[in-house]
Amino acid sequence: MEQERIQREAEATAQEREKRAQEDLVASYIRKRMTDMRNFRNSEGISERLLQALRTYRGEYDPGLLNDIRQFGGSEVYARVTATKCRAATALLRDVYLGADRSWDIEPTPHPTIPKDVDADIQQLVNIEVSTLMQQGQPVDQQAVADRVNLLRKNAERAAKKVAVEEAERSGERLDDILTEGGFYEAFAEFLIDLPIFPYACIKGPVVRRVEQTKWVNGQPVRSAIPRMFWNRVSPFDLYWSPGASHRKQADFVERIQLSRAELSQCKGLPGYNDEAIDEVLERAYVDGLHEWWDTIDTERADLEERERWARNSSSLIDTAEFTGYISGRLLADWGMEVQDPTAEYFCKAWLIDRWVIKIQMQPSTNSSPPYYVSSFEKVPGAMIGLGLPDLLEDVQSICNAAVRSLVNNASIASGPQVVINDAVVDPGDDDTLYPWKRWHTNFDPTLVASGTEPISFYQPNINAMELVGIYEKWNSMGDEISAIPRYMTGNEKVGGAGRTASGLAMLMGNASKTLQNVAASIDRDVIQPLLYDLFDMIMLTQPGLFKGDELIVVKGVNHAVKREQDRICLLYTSPS
């Protein structure tokens, strides 16, 4: 009996060791993918571009350049040309997408299907009418019968179209209500702030979370947890994807998220979660959380975002890697999931904390689409990373900064005279501080120093303010052309040339709005349209009966941008002035 007990314990230990080894294989796979993504981003200079974009938006110099400026002793003033353009671009895009009218809509299918029972009712009605005519002894014209059937079918089609229009309107209101409750529009507003600043911006969703809600049942408040879909903005610093991917459907993603101990503890007992792994994580992160070093830019990023640095992080948050992509069926089976084909690749979402995988979930989407929607202010064909305004205006910003620094330095030097003191003439004990009605004491031997030598002389440096201001204005104007966001688009009244007349200004603003329409087209194609279709697909899978499935989603961001420009031109020409 003792030998059998020892053998059972050894087998249990071996099984536990094997289970941990398989769990470590999944964790190793996810960590390897994460490492490859991070190394690719750093080697390509993408991380440095993100930092530089944030510095430019905040009006801060690169640390190396700032050190050179301080060694020179010059001014550290920063001309925030790019930041102004970024704010203007965000405001213009908010006017297009977050105005009074929705930037999308649901339209009915052009040819709605007539129910079979309607066809049967039409045929029955026509048969009754034919029988009545025959009973009355009247002749039956087959052509008239066919015309009667066609007329009734057209009436049924018109009624079906009317019903389809009403259903599409109700479906649009339902979808808009889901987006509003899930915080989509707030997340999209943050996405529009990121878009002109960084080389790419991202919005994520829908993410299903349980929400506590209180309802009254038989006069008593009852709290219950209901699932609800949410959207959120993803920081470009926290998102990594597969090297070489040219489209989001080709890429695996890793997102850096932070969970509180309470959020992680609430996951215990839910389907799919590994309670043992959660307990080990909570035990290790008992006091100060669980913080993991992710990237070489973490420290400087924390400084720019005005957060505590990783090395001295005292919060109780737990760093988590959320992996979205394909995992081998063999690994999933070894981890404990049921798979039909171990040799196949399955589209999954997994959460990794340190060396523990707390959950793996197969994505319910039928098109294997990741919930990340990435776009750029200026797209680069064949790449997921584009160009932001800091990239486009890098030279303009640098030259404007140099001109402004030179202007301040020159103005400070030319603000007063340069004083030359002859040390051989001035009394060594005299103070050389300048103040009104100061008396200078001199003591020199005329035989050693030529007579008439001035003990003190003054020199007034030239001020080159006009030339430096001209350089700044010229390059600032070039920034208007490069960014296609002129200053008069944001209310600046100083417009020369063709902009001095109403028709000329309308022509200039119309040309400038073309770039805004290109940006809106990218947002429609990369974000709004796939996001709505994926949401529609999820609702069809999880909430049967809410939609019919034949509705058409129409994105109207570009149309809104064009309509906005047409309305502005009409208002300009119909104005009494």
Side-chain angles (χ1 to χ4, degrees):
M1 292 176 61
E2 181 67 16
Q3 290 178 353
E4 291 177 356
R5 183 185 65 80
I6 295 174
Q7 184 177 359
R8 287 196 301 269
E9 291 179 354
E11 291 176 354
T13 302
Q15 292 177 358
E16 181 67 21
R17 187 181 299 110
E18 183 179 359
K19 179 182 178 181
R20 289 182 178 275
Q22 297 301 338
E23 292 177 357
D24 290 342
L25 287 177
V26 178
S28 298
Y29 172 78
I30 297 175
R31 187 167 294 280
K32 182 181 182 304
R33 300 289 293 133
M34 181 177 66
T35 303
D36 293 340
M37 297 175 189
R38 181 188 63 200
N39 294 341
F40 163 74
R41 199 171 83 170
N42 290 336
S43 62
E44 295 297 322
I46 301 172
S47 298
E48 183 57 35
R49 285 176 61 188
L50 294 175
L51 284 177
Q52 185 59 36
L54 189 55
R55 292 192 205 104
T56 303
Y57 186 71
R58 288 174 56 90
E60 298 182 9
Y61 285 104
D62 177 85
L65 179 58
L66 183 61
N67 183 56
D68 295 339
I69 293 174
R70 288 176 176 173
Q71 287 184 353
F72 172 72
S75 172
E76 299 179 14
V77 64
Y78 196 101
R80 301 187 64 180
V81 176
T82 305
T84 303
K85 300 296 184 187
C86 291
R87 290 195 298 269
T90 298
L92 294 173
L93 291 173
R94 282 178 61 91
D95 196 18
V96 171
Y97 285 98
L98 300 177
D101 299 329
R102 288 199 306 250
S103 60
W104 58 271
D105 207 349
I106 292 183
E107 295 182 356
T109 177
H111 303 287
T113 303
I114 300 177
K116 294 182 179 179
D117 55 348
V118 174
D119 286 334
D121 293 340
I122 291 174
Q123 191 63 42
Q124 183 180 0
L125 177 61
V126 172
N127 291 337
I128 293 175
E129 292 176 351
V130 171
S131 300
T132 302
L133 292 175
M134 293 178 63
Q135 290 176 2
Q136 294 176 355
Q138 298 181 10
V140 178
D141 186 356
Q142 296 299 326
Q143 183 61 39
V145 172
D147 293 341
R148 176 62 173 167
V149 171
N150 291 334
L151 177 62
L152 293 175
R153 284 189 59 85
K154 289 181 179 179
N155 291 336
E157 290 177 357
R158 284 195 292 269
K161 289 183 178 180
K162 182 179 179 180
V163 172
V165 170
E166 295 174 352
E167 285 291 335
E169 184 177 355
R170 285 194 292 268
S171 298
E173 293 176 354
R174 295 192 193 103
L175 200 61
D176 185 58
D177 186 58
I178 292 173
L179 293 171
T180 302
E181 291 183 350
F184 166 76
Y185 295 107
E186 291 81 359
F188 191 71
E190 296 179 356
F191 167 85
L192 293 180
I193 296 175
D194 284 344
L195 188 68
I197 301 175
F198 297 104
Y200 58 91
C202 178
I203 187 171
K204 175 186 177 183
V207 177
V208 180
R209 294 198 296 264
R210 291 183 176 272
V211 179
E212 294 289 336
Q213 185 174 3
T214 302
K215 293 185 177 181
W216 289 89
V217 179
N218 298 326
Q220 298 294 328
V222 177
R223 293 186 63 84
S224 60
I226 60 173
R228 183 178 295 174
M229 292 179 286
F230 289 91
W231 287 261
N232 60 279
R233 165 253 186 189
V234 178
S235 171
F237 289 97
D238 291 332
L239 189 64
Y240 303 79
W241 59 73
S242 303
S246 60
H247 192 268
R248 69 184 189 92
K249 288 190 176 182
Q250 295 179 343
D252 294 342
F253 288 88
V254 169
E255 180 191 356
R256 178 182 183 177
I257 61 177
Q258 290 183 319
L259 302 175
S260 65
R261 287 178 51 84
E263 290 174 335
L264 186 59
S265 179
Q266 290 172 0
C267 296
K268 293 182 59 176
L270 295 179
Y273 283 91
N274 188 333
D275 292 348
E276 295 180 3
I278 293 176
D279 288 336
E280 293 188 18
V281 171
L282 293 174
E283 179 65 25
R284 183 170 179 181
Y286 180 68
V287 179
D288 296 330
L290 191 60
H291 311 292
E292 182 177 356
W293 179 85
W294 274 62
D295 212 335
T296 56
I297 64 172
D298 283 351
T299 299
E300 188 171 357
R301 175 197 172 186
D303 290 338
L304 291 172
E305 294 180 347
E306 297 181 352
R307 296 183 291 104
E308 57 183 356
R309 297 184 179 182
W310 173 83
R312 59 172 185 268
N313 201 323
S314 59
S315 63
S316 59
L317 297 177
I318 301 172
D319 284 335
T320 306
E322 181 178 331
F323 172 83
T324 303
Y326 286 92
I327 300 179
S328 169
R330 192 180 305 278
L331 282 178
L332 296 177
D334 293 338
W335 196 79
M337 297 186 66
E338 295 182 2
V339 295
Q340 297 179 351
D341 185 5
T343 61
E345 296 287 323
Y346 292 89
F347 190 67
C348 301
K349 184 184 291 291
W351 289 265
L352 173 67
I353 301 177
D354 195 55
R355 59 184 180 86
W356 296 281
V357 178
I358 63 171
K359 183 184 179 181
I360 299 179
Q361 173 186 352
M362 292 188 183
Q363 291 294 87
S365 176
T366 56
N367 56 8
S368 300
S369 176
Y372 299 97
Y373 304 92
V374 182
S375 188
S376 303
F377 185 83
E378 182 171 303
K379 298 285 292 184
V380 175
M384 291 181 63
I385 299 176
L387 299 173
L389 286 177
D391 300 316
L392 298 174
L393 299 174
E394 182 179 5
D395 294 336
V396 172
Q397 183 67 67
S398 299
I399 295 177
C400 287
N401 283 342
V404 172
R405 289 198 312 271
S406 299
L407 175 62
V408 174
N409 293 337
N410 177 246
S412 63
I413 292 175
S415 61
Q418 300 289 318
V419 182
V420 180
I421 301 176
N422 191 340
D423 293 334
V425 174
V426 177
D427 188 353
D430 198 355
D431 185 12
D432 58 1
T433 304
L434 292 177
Y435 55 86
W437 301 98
K438 176 178 174 61
R439 297 182 179 182
W440 295 88
H441 298 276
T442 60
N443 184 12
F444 64 96
D445 186 353
T447 61
L448 298 178
V449 180
S451 60
T453 302
E454 297 182 0
I456 301 171
S457 60
F458 295 91
Y459 168 72
Q460 179 63 44
N462 296 327
I463 183 167
N464 303 316
M466 297 304 297
E467 291 81 357
L468 293 172
V469 169
I471 295 174
Y472 175 82
E473 288 292 339
K474 179 63 177 178
W475 279 89
N476 199 358
S477 299
M478 292 180 63
D480 292 350
E481 299 177 3
I482 295 173
S483 65
I485 304 177
R487 282 167 286 182
Y488 51 77
M489 294 284 287
T490 57
N492 192 316
E493 77 284 359
K494 296 180 181 180
V495 185
R500 290 178 295 179
T501 63
S503 59
L505 180 60
M507 179 184 65
L508 292 177
M509 296 185 72
N511 293 333
S513 65
K514 297 297 188 294
T515 298
L516 180 65
Q517 295 173 20
N518 290 336
V519 177
S522 299
I523 296 175
D524 289 348
R525 182 175 56 253
D526 297 336
V527 179
I528 303 295
Q529 186 173 15
L531 185 147
L532 291 177
Y533 272 105
D534 290 345
L535 174 60
F536 190 84
D537 181 67
M538 177 174 285
I539 293 175
M540 292 292 293
L541 290 173
T542 57
Q543 302 181 34
L546 189 60
F547 299 129
K548 287 187 176 181
D550 58 353
E551 294 88 350
L552 300 177
I553 298 176
V554 180
V555 182
K556 302 185 295 185
V558 176
N559 296 335
H560 276 193
V562 175
K563 182 178 180 299
R564 175 179 173 274
E565 180 62 22
Q566 293 174 348
D567 293 343
R568 185 192 55 74
I569 294 176
C570 291
L571 181 63
L572 183 64
Y573 280 106
T574 57
S575 175
S577 61

